[in-house]
Structure formats: structure tokens, C-alpha cells
Amino acid sequence: MPFPADPLLPHARRRAFVRTAALAALLAPWAAHAAGLGVLVTDARGAPLADAVAYAVPLTAGAPVASATASARAAIDQVDREFTPLVTVVQTGTRVSFPNKDDVEHDVYSFSPAKRFELKLYSGVPSQPVVFDKAGLAVLGCNIHDSMVAYVLVVDTPHFAKTDRSGQAAFGRLPAGEYRVAVWHRAMRRPENHPQQTARIAAAGPDLPPLRFALPTGDGR
């Protein structure tokens, strides 16, 4: 004898589907940005290198490599006749301001192919930021104070980080896919070469162990 159909069954199935859909929506960002990735950068002898730049470029087919949005901003201050920070990394298209917090005027410039500009003698904050619209390294100086120097590395990816005193940097959680991870440090013997490795981020799983880079520096270490 067949059992009668349960009139509540369709409603129960609908409620279960709604709960499943809600859970999937809640977990979707974690699936898309499933695993963290970092680097450990040292010199050839194993001593940690601070202020090294690491950046991850997506290699997965169809992954966008877009310029920075119009709201992307950075600042490089002048304090006690020094640039701070010494090293800055930005995505292509970022607007960078140069506040002068000293009681003397500065004349900030770069003759680097990645960005040529000059902010003639000024105090305070220039009215317009400088747009770094080409990937590459820009070395900054001051026409008045020759000891002042700073570095801006412009990269074609939003995934970048700078190492701390322990030589470590983390990108955080990245979208699943394959990446080319490259590093740069101002003391490298050939700073135009950026050592690189590849890493694959799975759609789910724990954070990956840091990628290790040992860089030959100009002092022979």
C-alpha cells in the first residue's frame, strides 16, 4: 500500500534549498580568496632584508590586470630632509602626493624612464599629485639636498607587499589561480632583474608556506 504524499515535503525542500543557497553565498568570498601567501626575503647569507617589495601577477587565463582606480592614493613625506618612507610600492595609475613637512623648501624630481617629473621649490603640499602611470622603478631625489633619495616601484597588479625587519611580507588571501611572484630590493646587484617564482592558489585550503628568496646584494652578501 503506497504511503500518502506529505504535503509539507515541498516546503521543507524549499527551506533546505534556501539555507544551502544562503550558506553558499556566505562562503563564496572565502572560496574566491581561499588561501594566503607570503614571502621571506634574505640576502645570500640568510640575513633578512627589510623594505623588499614582493608582488604577485595573475597568470590564470582571463585574470584581469587592471590599473589602479581613480581613488588610489599614496604619500611620500619629506621629514628632517629625508623622504619617508624610503621605499614605496604602488599599482600603475596611483596618484602620489609629496607633502613637505620641513621648514625648508624642497625640489623633488625623478629622471627615471618609469616616471620623469619635477616639483620645483615648494613648501607644504603641492596642489596636484604625481600620477605614476607606467610600471617600473622611479628613483627620487631633491635638487637642493643631494643626500635625499627614495624609491617608487610601480607594478601592474593590485597584489603587492613590503617586507618588515624580519624579511617577511604577506599578500593576504588571493583569488584562486596561478601567480608569478617577483621580488625587488634596492641593494640588489642587478636591481633591474626581479627574481621570481610561481605559486598556485587553490580554491580551498590552508595558507601556503612562504616563498623564500635569497638575493645577491651589492655589498657581496
Side-chain angles (χ1 to χ4, degrees):
M1 175 179 179
F3 291 98
D6 186 347
L8 297 179
L9 189 56
H11 299 284
R13 287 175 176 170
R14 188 178 299 111
R15 288 195 300 269
F17 174 80
V18 171
R19 287 195 299 267
T20 302
L23 181 60
L26 181 64
L27 294 179
W30 293 99
H33 297 74
L37 179 65
V39 298
L40 174 61
V41 184
T42 68
D43 63 21
R45 297 180 180 177
L49 289 176
D51 281 337
V53 171
Y55 57 98
V57 178
L59 297 178
T60 304
V65 182
S67 296
T69 63
S71 61
R73 296 283 192 276
I76 301 175
D77 296 333
Q78 296 123 69
V79 180
D80 296 332
R81 302 186 184 186
E82 292 183 348
F83 290 111
T84 179
L86 173 62
V87 175
T88 299
V89 53
V90 297
Q91 186 178 2
T92 308
T94 299
R95 292 161 169 76
V96 181
S97 61
F98 292 86
N100 181 358
K101 298 182 178 179
D102 284 334
D103 56 4
V104 296
E105 293 183 323
H106 291 299
D107 187 311
V108 177
Y109 71 90
S110 170
F111 296 145
S112 301
K115 189 64 185 181
R116 299 179 186 272
F117 72 94
E118 182 178 4
L119 301 174
K120 294 186 180 295
L121 281 171
Y122 72 95
S123 299
V125 183
S127 59
Q128 295 295 326
V130 177
V131 179
F132 285 76
D133 49 7
K134 181 180 179 182
L137 176 65
V139 181
L140 311 182
C142 174
N143 272 323
I144 308 303
H145 308 99
D146 291 340
S147 63
M148 293 177 62
V149 65
Y151 306 87
V152 180
L153 187 65
V154 186
V155 296
D156 283 330
T157 175
H159 311 301
F160 54 79
K162 195 168 66 171
T163 59
D164 57 21
R165 292 181 179 178
S166 69
Q168 299 183 75
F171 298 114
R173 295 184 177 275
L174 296 174
E178 189 173 12
Y179 292 83
R180 172 173 56 86
V181 179
V183 298
W184 168 88
H185 191 271
R186 66 186 185 280
M188 292 169 57
R189 293 178 191 170
R190 299 183 64 184
E192 70 278 10
N193 292 339
H194 298 186
Q196 54 190 262
Q197 301 181 38
T198 57
R200 180 174 293 277
I201 305 297
D207 291 352
L208 299 179
L211 300 177
R212 296 174 177 267
F213 292 85
L215 307 181
T217 55
D219 57 8
R221 292 187 294 172

